[in-house]
Amino acid sequence: MNKSPHLLVVLTMIGALLSLATGCAPASPPVSYHSLVDASSAPRLVKQEGRIALLVGPVSVPDLLKTSQIATGESGGRYQLSEQHRWAGAVDREFARALAEQLALRLETEQVALYPAGHYLEPKLQIVLDIVAMEGHLGKEAKLDVRWSLVDAKSKTARLTQRTTHSEQPADGGYDAWVEAQRRNIAELGQEIAAAIRAIH
């Protein structure tokens, strides 16, 4: 009968200690999500008659880029996977969407679809891409190495295949600047592919 008050005091003290420990525990840093799509690259409104229809993808990526964590570093060296900085979506789809926006802008067309959802278009050309590497060190370099092909959408024959490398220096040592530099790499790739498409058509 006399043990109940003591038990209550002990339980109260344990609860207070747990609350204190919880309050002192460091809060986990917030996770930031980054996109390769440049929201500022919206194409101008143009008449669509005579504009070429394009299918972008598939895009193949190294296993390292299949994780949601942003990886920085260099081939043959060590990579760092960030827990607090992650991609907003799967890199292959993010990359395809970012490139599609660039092509729509540079070719002044909205007839651009992402593979495999191109059934509502009759594309003339398909852009097939293999990302060899998307790497570089924070604050030093953002590098993009891509092999790409322009494929006739009907015959499935390659009209042109090239491998190109683009490199940009980030504005600072943060992840925002590194991702922005990769967006510029994709913009340069889009300009290159758009020029090749104009040459063919």
Side-chain angles (χ1 to χ4, degrees):
M1 297 295 293
N2 295 331
K3 291 183 179 181
S4 297
H6 296 290
L7 180 61
L8 182 60
V9 171
V10 171
L11 291 176
T12 302
M13 292 178 63
I14 292 175
L17 289 173
L18 288 175
S19 298
L20 182 61
T22 303
C24 294
S28 298
V31 176
S32 297
Y33 292 90
H34 303 263
S35 175
L36 289 171
V37 180
D38 185 357
S40 65
S41 63
R44 293 174 293 173
L45 294 176
V46 295
K47 294 182 179 179
Q48 297 300 311
E49 292 83 357
R51 302 290 176 180
I52 188 171
L54 303 171
L55 183 62
V56 180
V59 177
S60 61
V61 299
D63 289 342
L64 183 68
L65 296 180
K66 293 179 181 178
T67 176
S68 65
Q69 299 162 293
I70 294 182
T72 56
E74 293 182 354
S75 297
R78 293 184 176 181
Y79 288 92
Q80 294 79 43
L81 294 174
S82 174
E83 290 293 340
Q84 281 72 49
H85 296 273
R86 298 173 177 264
W87 294 115
V91 170
D92 56 344
R93 298 292 290 176
E94 279 274 302
F95 191 93
R97 191 175 302 280
L99 181 61
E101 289 298 316
Q102 290 295 326
L103 294 175
L105 171 67
R106 298 179 188 283
L107 297 173
E108 297 183 330
T109 179
E110 286 291 351
Q111 299 186 70
V112 180
L114 301 185
Y115 177 90
H119 56 275
Y120 57 89
L121 282 181
E122 291 186 6
K124 298 294 184 182
L125 284 176
Q126 182 175 358
I127 300 96
V128 180
L129 303 107
D130 176 19
I131 301 177
V132 180
M134 190 169 69
E135 57 193 16
H137 292 288
L138 295 175
K140 295 182 179 180
E141 182 186 32
K143 180 181 176 183
L144 178 64
D145 187 3
V146 180
R147 183 182 294 108
W148 55 272
S149 297
L150 296 182
V151 178
D152 186 281
K154 289 186 177 180
S155 66
K156 302 301 181 183
T157 57
R159 303 285 298 275
L160 176 67
T161 298
Q162 291 190 3
R163 177 173 175 173
T164 55
T165 301
H166 299 275
S167 179
E168 289 282 335
Q169 182 174 359
D172 56 49
Y175 279 88
D176 286 339
W178 189 86
V179 173
E180 175 58 32
Q182 290 292 7
R183 290 196 196 109
R184 295 198 299 272
N185 285 334
I186 296 174
E188 292 176 6
L189 176 65
Q191 183 176 4
E192 182 179 11
I193 295 177
I197 292 173
R198 290 193 196 97
I200 290 177
H201 290 268

